Amino acid sequence: MVDLPRLPDDPSKLAREPLREQIRQVLVEGLLSGRWQPGERIVERRIATELRVSQAPVREALRELETLRLIETVPNKGARVRDFGVRDMAEIYPVRAGLELVAAELAAPRLRADPAPLEREVDLLKRATAEGDVSGQIRHSVEFHREVVRAADNSVLLHTWESLGVEVWTALSVRWLNMELHAKAADHDQITKAFREGDSQVGRMLSDHVLNYVEAALRSNEGVH
């Protein structure tokens, strides 16, 4: 189970960051912690009351989650959590794999010269794996991939990749589909080595690595919609 916090005990803490973004994070953490299950309504007025804010920023945050396909708006019923299944992964992960293939090819010279950002995330991922810290494994696995995309130095590519909500979808896959993390520290070690050595196939390695998430989910959830 992913161990993430629920709504903050002190809603006034929201005021320290952009309100919409903070509310969005609260809602995401509610999904990850199991406060809301697939098919369950998220009542805009109730969230606004709990956080002591107006309904407008809550509505904006919900719209962002709808863009990520985490929730859906039902006429006359409001927002509810989407019934998430393997089919969603089968649509999202090939797109992500294509983006990371391009990112790896663009980032290769920079990461060959300085693979330190990847090495740091691999070390943190190994530590989280050894400690059985699932949240840490998700965080550092995703951050490893984010470092590759950042190194591509292409703002459009980075924005598009971020818009997929990679960390959220990875965590929800682990929680809702009971999918074991396919991305082990050893996989990231091999990809880091390929960048460091200037392997021309590193982009394909990274792309295949991402697609293996879907294959693992399909194997462990055969028959799940």
Side-chain angles (χ1 to χ4, degrees):
M1 180 181 294
V2 181
D3 184 18
L4 288 173
R6 296 176 182 270
L7 290 173
D9 294 330
D10 180 9
S12 66
K13 292 179 180 178
L14 293 175
R16 301 174 189 171
E17 297 287 345
L19 194 55
R20 172 186 47 76
E21 177 60 28
Q22 287 295 293
I23 294 172
R24 174 185 175 278
Q25 187 58 37
V26 165
L27 294 173
V28 167
E29 289 173 354
L31 292 173
L32 296 178
S33 65
R35 174 176 179 175
W36 297 291
Q37 298 296 318
E40 187 174 348
R41 286 186 64 201
I42 299 179
V43 182
E44 183 181 300
R45 183 182 296 107
R46 185 178 302 161
I47 299 301
T49 299
E50 289 184 26
L51 298 179
R52 303 173 202 165
V53 298
S54 69
Q55 288 181 230
V58 176
R59 191 174 305 120
E60 292 174 4
L62 287 171
R63 284 199 195 104
E64 289 194 13
L65 297 187
E66 188 169 13
T67 300
L68 288 176
R69 302 175 68 210
L70 296 175
I71 68 169
E72 59 187 355
T73 301
V74 182
N76 303 317
K77 292 185 178 180
R80 72 178 182 184
V81 181
R82 287 188 67 245
D83 189 7
F84 170 66
V86 173
R87 285 183 181 175
D88 295 272
M89 292 184 65
E91 292 182 353
I92 292 169
Y93 276 77
V95 175
R96 176 185 165 189
L99 292 173
E100 294 196 23
L101 172 61
V102 174
E105 292 173 349
L106 293 174
R110 186 172 288 104
L111 291 175
R112 182 180 186 181
D114 181 18
L118 302 186
E119 293 169 345
R120 179 182 64 249
E121 294 305 325
V122 168
D123 288 342
L124 292 170
L125 178 56
K126 287 179 178 178
R127 184 184 307 171
T129 301
E131 296 173 353
D133 177 5
V134 177
S135 294
Q137 290 179 66
I138 292 170
R139 184 168 59 256
H140 296 300
S141 174
V142 173
E143 193 60 30
F144 176 94
H145 291 265
R146 182 176 282 115
E147 289 291 354
V148 174
V149 180
R150 283 175 180 152
D153 196 26
N154 184 303
S155 60
V156 174
L157 181 60
L158 178 60
H159 175 77
T160 305
W161 186 89
E162 292 286 5
S163 73
L164 296 178
V166 173
E167 188 161 9
V168 175
W169 278 106
T170 302
L172 291 177
S173 300
V174 172
R175 177 176 176 79
W176 289 353
L177 298 180
N178 297 316
M179 187 187 77
E180 293 184 4
L181 285 172
H182 177 75
K184 306 297 183 184
D187 298 328
H188 292 83
D189 240 345
Q190 289 300 312
I191 293 169
T192 301
K193 179 181 178 183
F195 274 116
R196 189 166 48 237
E197 296 179 352
D199 189 332
S200 63
Q201 294 301 307
V202 67
R204 180 56 57 189
M205 288 175 61
L206 187 61
S207 176
D208 289 346
H209 168 76
V210 171
L211 290 174
N212 281 338
Y213 280 102
V214 179
E215 294 175 6
L218 290 171
R219 285 195 300 269
S220 62
N221 294 274
E222 187 174 357
V224 177
H225 62 80

